Amino acid sequence: CPELHTQTREESGKKKLKTLTAAETEKRPSNSVRVRAPVLPPAPPQTSLPRPLSAVAATASTRHSLPPMAMATAMGATAATYGAPIPAPAPAAFSPHRAAGGRRVRAVTARPRPLFSPRAVSDSRNSQTCLDPDASTSVLGIILGGGAGTRLYPLTKKRAKPAVPLGANYRLIDIPVSNCLNSNVSKIYVLTQFNSASLNRHLSRAYGNNIGGYKNDGFVEVLAAQQSPENPDWFQGTADAVRQYLWLFEEHNVMEFLILAGDHLYRMDYQKFIQAHRETDADITVAALPMDEERATAFGLMKIDDEGRIVEFSEKPKGEKLKAMMVDTTILGLDSERAKELPYIASMGIYVFSKDAMLRLLRDNFPSANDFGSEVIPGATEIGMRVQAYLYDGYWEDIGTIEAFYNANLGITKKPVPDFSFYDRSAPIYTQSRYLPPSKVLNADVTDSVIGEGCVINHCTINHSVVGLRSCISEGAVIEDSLLMGADYYETENDKQVLSESGGIPIGIGKNAHIRKAIIDKNARIGENVKIINVDDIQEASRESDGYFIKSGIVTVIKDALIPSGTVI
């Protein structure tokens, strides 16, 4: 079978050859591999002695000669890469002779090999990966738990940002962990600092016993901020958090560190990301999101050269500085029409670092830098390191504010296609197994909504909303454009009876309550005839003593809050 050599980097820095069959090569898109194939010497003169067919095939395989059809496909891929016309394949040189048994056999003479060069390194469903060594043994995933999450307050009052519930059944941390597992990255550390009890509990229950095995040393482990004689301070930023645990990370025999954020919503195959990093021989690869001018002012932008190498950074530019950051995004794989609509690329805060590059940067070059995005990576470009951009052209949302969190959750109810789908069979989102019963809907009107596990919905109306697990909604209630996070536990009938006799309010939504454009955090007790509708369209208000906040016009009821019967917000 004809073979084609591709090159990948080993940890030692030496080059190792990996073979792909010609059939596999034909399946690869023109934008997925950069290969400079050696020009092989011509075949020796053919002797007149007959040889068996197997010997001829072995010789052709040894010389790495592509058959005419494979050669035509390869030339077409190369031409598509550079936009050149596809030349017709030249006729192969054949030397006929007879093999044993009298059959006529033709030997294929070797010819110069075509040059493959990637025009794009985009995250496409059609592209294939050929990581060698495999990601499970050569990549270490590091998920950063984030800061105090003040912009998400009060959702972060009692939990870390990655532990905030998402999509009825999940938590934000499930997104990067699931992406890692689906990408065959099975060694994962999660760095935490603020309000980490809920996050630690979820990770231990969801992934503590499900990753490792007899032949699999995978894990998901929490690394909390700590003080030591060398580092008396807590984490000061993303780079500082990694630096403080660098002694642990370098013990792993891996080639790359995959740096991820714990509060982003997206689905991505990191194997393609890592493959692009290796093929371009980069020290650092930054995931980049194409965007238009309107959104670009809110992000840190990057400028690239003709090879996709990052040459300049600019944090939230405006005016002429913004215009100066325009790039030709066709270099990274966008078609010309979309490239005109999306002429900027923003950093997603997701990086692949070569192991030796990370050690040099954090220990030698920038020993006091605290942040990757604003200090370490711009500094790496200045000292001449190869920093590449990798285009991710898909749904991505930074869950950094109440408004972004609200929109991301309600986006999963969008029809006919949600912004983010939890129904992808090839790349599922994992979470804790809670063994809850199916939700029960009793004579209710539910439209355009998502209902979590274990809910009891009784004679009410729900429209365009997300209802979290264990939610109890009483008769006559109306829920519109809202996110209910549900509850951590059920109250028994006896508990409810005791509360009723003492004038208390059970967990859930009371009778005839009306909730519109609101977020109801877990274990909230909403009394009867309560109206949370922001009738005066107030945009900002802090009423923590009353159990709620208003941010961007969205009412957020605090976890474990009690809203008395008859209250109007």
Side-chain angles (χ1 to χ4, degrees):
C1 180
E3 295 176 342
L4 182 66
H5 283 291
T6 62
Q7 293 184 339
T8 58
R9 290 200 308 166
E10 289 188 310
E11 183 183 6
S12 62
K14 298 179 180 179
K15 302 290 183 181
K16 179 180 178 181
L17 293 177
K18 175 174 171 52
T19 60
L20 294 176
T21 66
E24 290 172 333
T25 305
E26 288 185 25
K27 294 179 182 178
R28 298 176 64 92
S30 62
N31 64 353
S32 62
V33 181
R34 173 176 292 179
V35 177
R36 184 178 294 277
V39 178
L40 300 175
Q46 190 70 43
T47 64
S48 59
L49 294 176
R51 292 182 297 170
L53 181 62
S54 59
V56 177
T59 303
S61 175
T62 304
R63 293 171 188 160
H64 309 287
S65 301
L66 289 174
M69 184 58 69
M71 180 66 76
T73 303
M75 296 177 71
T78 308
T81 298
Y82 292 100
I86 301 174
F94 293 106
S95 178
H97 60 84
R98 292 189 180 275
R103 288 195 302 161
R104 192 172 185 82
V105 180
R106 294 186 295 180
V108 183
T109 305
R111 63 183 65 201
R113 303 287 303 287
L115 173 65
F116 287 79
S117 178
R119 180 168 176 270
V121 286
S122 61
D123 198 32
S124 167
R125 288 185 179 271
N126 296 324
S127 60
Q128 301 177 13
T129 55
C130 54
L131 291 182
D132 184 20
D134 188 80
S136 63
T137 59
S138 63
V139 179
L140 181 67
I142 302 171
I143 302 174
L144 304 175
T150 53
R151 294 184 300 162
L152 264 181
Y153 195 86
L155 299 180
T156 53
K157 181 179 180 180
K158 297 182 179 181
R159 59 170 78 91
K161 268 200 300 185
V164 173
L166 171 76
N169 284 352
Y170 307 89
R171 292 179 186 259
L172 279 172
I173 190 64
D174 291 327
I175 302 300
V177 172
S178 298
N179 283 336
C180 283
L181 298 180
N182 293 331
S183 304
N184 208 20
V185 177
S186 57
K187 299 176 181 178
I188 306 166
Y189 285 111
V190 181
L191 275 58
T192 66
Q193 181 166 230
F194 293 96
N195 287 338
S196 58
S198 177
L199 177 62
N200 297 349
R201 183 169 59 248
H202 176 77
L203 289 172
S204 63
R205 291 178 178 177
Y207 309 103
N209 300 317
N210 300 330
I211 308 301
Y214 173 62
K215 291 187 177 180
N216 180 11
D217 57 352
F219 57 83
V220 178
E221 290 186 11
V222 175
L223 299 177
Q226 61 183 9
Q227 293 176 311
S228 66
E230 295 80 16
N231 290 295
D233 299 321
W234 303 112
F235 295 157
Q236 302 301 307
T238 54
D240 184 63
V242 173
R243 182 188 294 110
Q244 291 196 30
Y245 275 105
L246 209 54
W247 61 270
L248 175 62
F249 301 151
E250 68 176 328
E251 290 179 359
H252 291 274
N253 185 24
V254 297
M255 293 173 59
E256 291 98 6
F257 296 140
L258 176 63
I259 309 297
L260 306 170
D263 55 353
H264 295 171
L265 180 60
Y266 63 106
R267 182 180 274 106
M268 183 176 181
D269 185 354
Y270 298 139
Q271 291 182 104
K272 300 168 187 175
F273 189 17
I274 297 160
Q275 178 177 321
H277 175 82
R278 294 180 183 179
E279 288 170 355
T280 55
D281 199 30
D283 296 300
I284 307 169
T285 302
V286 182
L289 192 72
M291 57 181 52
D292 55 21
E293 183 173 341
E294 183 179 356
R295 295 184 62 199
T297 57
F299 290 87
L301 302 183
M302 302 177 291
K303 201 165 187 178
I304 56 174
D305 62 13
D306 292 340
E307 296 182 351
R309 185 169 178 172
I310 300 173
V311 296
E312 185 180 347
F313 291 86
S314 183
E315 185 66 24
K316 299 179 180 179
K318 292 179 174 60
E320 292 302 318
K321 291 184 178 180
L322 177 63
K323 297 289 186 185
M325 296 304 294
M326 292 181 64
V327 298
D328 179 9
T329 45
T330 60
I331 295 171
L332 297 178
L334 283 186
D335 59 74
S336 57
E337 184 176 343
R338 282 179 52 76
K340 292 178 182 178
E341 300 172 357
L342 307 169
Y344 300 94
I345 55 172
S347 171
M348 295 169 60
I350 300 171
Y351 318 108
V352 175
F353 280 79
S354 295
K355 182 178 180 180
D356 56 344
M358 176 75 85
L359 298 178
R360 292 201 313 270
L361 285 168
L362 295 187
R363 285 182 174 163
D364 302 330
N365 301 113
F366 305 102
S368 60
N370 291 329
D371 187 69
F372 281 122
S374 61
E375 297 177 81
V376 175
I377 295 177
T381 62
E382 292 175 1
I383 64 176
M385 282 191 168
R386 188 174 186 90
V387 183
Q388 288 287 136
Y390 171 83
L391 188 75
Y392 172 76
D393 188 18
Y395 176 80
W396 175 86
E397 187 66 52
D398 180 4
I399 312 295
T401 64
I402 291 290
E403 184 176 19
F405 176 75
Y406 173 84
N407 291 332
N409 274 276
L410 291 192
I412 69 175
T413 69
K414 187 178 293 185
K415 58 181 183 181
V417 180
D419 291 338
F420 181 87
S421 175
F422 289 94
Y423 296 89
D424 190 330
R425 185 173 60 179
S426 63
I429 304 300
Y430 308 100
T431 191
Q432 176 184 345
S433 297
R434 300 178 178 88
Y435 309 107
L436 291 172
S439 291
K440 183 163 58 176
V441 180
L442 305 174
N443 196 25
D445 183 8
V446 181
T447 56
D448 301 339
S449 298
V450 172
I451 310 297
E453 301 173 319
C455 298
V456 179
I457 299 171
N458 186 17
H459 293 76
C460 60
T461 300
I462 302 174
N463 178 51
H464 189 230
S465 297
V466 175
V467 180
L469 48 85
R470 302 189 189 90
S471 290
C472 294
I473 305 176
S474 302
E475 57 265 27
V478 177
I479 313 295
E480 303 174 285
D481 306 323
S482 295
L483 166 61
L484 312 184
M485 292 188 181
D488 290 321
Y489 57 91
Y490 288 116
E491 287 181 329
T492 65
E493 292 301 322
N494 187 47
D495 293 335
K496 294 179 181 179
Q497 184 177 354
V498 171
L499 284 170
S500 179
E501 293 173 354
S502 62
I505 299 173
I507 290 177
I509 311 300
K511 294 179 181 179
N512 302 314
H514 188 183
I515 300 174
R516 183 175 65 226
K517 198 178 180 182
I519 300 172
I520 311 299
D521 208 338
K522 283 191 170 183
N523 307 332
R525 301 171 185 269
I526 309 298
E528 297 179 3
N529 300 305
V530 168
K531 296 188 183 300
I532 304 177
I533 55 178
N534 195 7
V535 66
D536 296 325
D537 195 26
I538 295 173
Q539 293 300 301
E540 304 291 330
S542 175
R543 300 287 188 271
E544 187 163 2
S545 59
D546 296 328
Y548 68 92
F549 280 74
I550 301 178
K551 291 187 175 182
S552 302
I554 303 165
V555 179
T556 303
V557 175
I558 301 172
K559 183 179 181 182
D560 300 314
L562 187 151
I563 307 297
S565 298
T567 301
V568 177
I569 299 176

